[in-house]
Amino acid sequence: MLDGKKMLFSGMQSTGTLQLGNYLGALKNWLTLSDEYECFYGVVDLHSITVRQDPATLRKRARDLLTLYIAAGLDPVKNCIYYQSHVSGHAELAWILNCFTYMGELNRMTQFKDKSAKHADNINAGLFTYPVLMAADILLFQSDVVPVGKDQMQHLEITRDIAQRFNNIYGDVFTIPEAYIGKQGAKIMSLQEPTKKMSKSDENPNASIFLMDDYDTIIRKFKRAVTDSDNQILYKDEKPGIKNLIDIYCAVTGKTPQETEAEFANCGYGDFKLAVGECVADSLKPVQDRFYDLSKNKDYINGIIKENGEKANYYANKTLRKVKKKVGFPEKIR
Ligand code: TYM
């Protein structure tokens, strides 16, 4: 608790450009939570190097992502927006928690299995212990709630298990966090293979809508979206392509799948795809405009990086001091 408010942490990796799933499954929900919670949003650049990165590109992407958080509408006064690599407590707590996490638990993580299949030439220990760093992010801020898309549920579960295990040994050190999954958009699928989730790292550029895609590109990608041949706009598991387009439409407009089916009852797929594309492009345009404006304002962004980095360090150190004392590290002599 901070000033009577519950705590919240979430973050995104600064690899690649954000795609529509990141926006609808996470970022858009974050905007609605700042009044209710004390929010910490990290650009989780430590996580990014589990896969090889070009240093200059990684640095640029991290800054773009931080700017995009603000452009999407997160007020950097109400929300602590910062770089994970500026707060050494993340890595320190991750080490400690590594000693409370079992190999067997980490072996079960589906993201580790997927990523090691994809990067068979670089199955590093960081990729394996990635969920422990994620647990450290969350527990460092004593988070009550963690807004994420459905794909992060397994990582939330292991975070809860690690926290519980630690508390069982040392007493009430960590708050046990709950996942916050939005009602709509929690799992946006690929536009080309609608049984697979939309992902920044998809090799087919037509599979994902990127947040900075221009209007024509967005419309073109939706027009090419893979559907089926029965030409009926119905929200059904047997129609994954159309179901995904309905999900996207609902997440953007706030309508329900039933309202959407009724609205497009007399339309063909072509008109529906265009309508979905238009509503997505229209909703991203103001975010893109603000992003370009903010990017020019270097001093403003630098000020946020500095102030919020200090704030995050302050709260991270509070938890870290407590944890270090509990496990038996000697106190610093001042
Ligand atoms: P990342 O960077 O892959 O994704 C950031 C957020 O976007 C959500 N998301 C999606 N939601 C719906 N549909 C999709 N297709 C889709 N793709 C991604 C993710 O669920 C996530 O909420 N490990 C995390 C980053 C992280 C983190 C944390 C998150 C590190 N530490 C602590 C929360 C708390 C990740 O790689 O997310």
Side-chain angles (χ1 to χ4, degrees):
M1 284 275 197
L2 189 61
D3 297 334
K5 281 185 177 177
K6 289 188 167 184
M7 308 292 278
L8 178 157
F9 178 90
S10 198
M12 295 197 185
Q13 289 202 62
S14 43
T15 33
T17 328
L18 284 203
Q19 40 83 9
L20 192 60
N22 299 128
Y23 182 63
L24 298 178
L27 192 46
K28 205 160 175 271
N29 292 329
W30 297 0
L31 305 180
T32 62
L33 299 166
S34 7
D35 289 333
E36 201 180 333
Y37 295 95
E38 188 66 40
C39 301
F40 291 83
Y41 292 114
V43 168
V44 296
D45 47 359
L46 297 182
H47 281 88
S48 302
I49 61 163
T50 49
V51 173
R52 283 287 170 269
Q53 304 290 337
D54 168 62
T57 310
L58 180 63
R59 221 179 329 271
K60 177 169 187 318
R61 284 185 171 155
R63 191 169 173 107
D64 284 353
L65 181 56
L66 187 131
T67 307
L68 205 50
Y69 282 180
I70 304 166
L74 283 181
D75 176 348
V77 175
K78 279 197 197 157
N79 304 276
C80 185
I81 297 170
Y82 71 99
Y83 292 133
Q84 185 189 30
S85 60
H86 284 191
V87 177
S88 57
H90 286 273
E92 282 189 74
L93 184 59
W95 169 254
I96 297 172
L97 297 180
N98 263 322
C99 303
F100 295 85
T101 308
Y102 298 115
M103 303 285 282
E105 286 177 299
L106 293 174
N107 250 327
R108 285 197 292 275
M109 295 291 116
T110 50
Q111 186 169 307
F112 171 68
K113 288 182 201 160
D114 292 350
K115 284 210 174 165
S116 36
K118 215 165 171 184
H119 303 276
D121 55 335
N122 181 22
I123 306 177
N124 59 71
L127 201 58
F128 189 61
T129 58
Y130 178 111
V132 186
L133 179 58
M134 186 160 157
D137 302 340
I138 295 167
L139 302 178
L140 199 53
F141 293 99
Q142 302 291 356
S143 312
D144 294 278
V145 66
V146 184
V148 282
K150 267 192 193 146
D151 63 325
Q152 295 300 318
M153 274 312 281
Q154 202 184 23
H155 289 159
L156 252 294
E157 286 307 322
I158 193 173
T159 300
R160 288 164 59 87
D161 291 345
I162 297 169
Q164 205 88 61
R165 185 172 305 138
F166 196 93
N167 285 358
N168 286 343
I169 304 171
Y170 298 107
D172 255 353
V173 178
F174 294 124
T175 304
I176 309 296
E178 300 276 348
Y180 175 101
I181 307 276
K183 281 197 192 71
Q184 287 163 324
K187 193 165 186 192
I188 301 297
M189 310 307 272
S190 151
L191 296 185
Q192 290 299 313
E193 282 175 79
T195 49
K196 210 176 92 179
K197 79 165 183 178
M198 189 180 282
S199 159
K200 293 180 236 188
S201 55
D202 201 309
E203 272 152 26
N204 182 349
N206 290 322
S208 311
I209 301 291
F210 296 106
L211 250 58
M212 302 312 288
D213 277 348
D214 63 30
Y215 193 93
D216 291 344
T217 306
I218 295 175
I219 301 293
R220 180 172 47 74
K221 288 184 182 178
F222 275 105
K223 278 189 180 162
R224 287 192 188 167
V226 168
T227 50
D228 51 58
S229 54
D230 80 17
N231 222 22
Q232 287 192 312
I233 295 151
L234 296 173
Y235 193 72
K236 283 187 177 172
D237 289 341
E238 306 85 272
K239 296 166 67 69
I242 289 296
K243 184 168 184 257
N244 187 37
L245 294 181
I246 295 179
D247 273 332
I248 293 173
Y249 188 73
C250 291
V252 174
T253 60
K255 292 180 185 170
T256 64
Q258 293 68 34
E259 285 166 346
T260 308
E261 283 177 350
E263 185 179 346
F264 294 98
N266 300 318
C267 289
Y269 285 176
D271 290 341
F272 179 53
K273 286 178 175 178
L274 185 63
V276 181
E278 281 172 347
C279 86
V280 169
D282 288 344
S283 76
L284 293 184
K285 177 82 170 65
V287 178
Q288 297 172 345
D289 290 347
R290 271 197 302 273
F291 173 83
Y292 291 123
D293 274 353
L294 283 166
S295 300
K296 287 183 222 143
N297 203 338
K298 290 206 167 63
D299 291 345
Y300 172 71
I301 298 291
N302 286 346
I304 290 164
I305 292 171
K306 183 168 181 295
E307 274 172 37
N308 281 338
E310 283 165 5
K311 180 176 170 187
N313 262 304
Y314 174 80
Y315 289 103
N317 282 332
K318 272 178 105 170
T319 302
L320 205 55
R321 273 198 300 275
K322 196 168 162 187
V323 170
K324 286 180 173 175
K325 195 169 173 194
K326 289 282 184 187
V327 296
F329 295 157
E331 267 183 67
K332 276 190 184 156
I333 314 280
R334 292 182 195 278

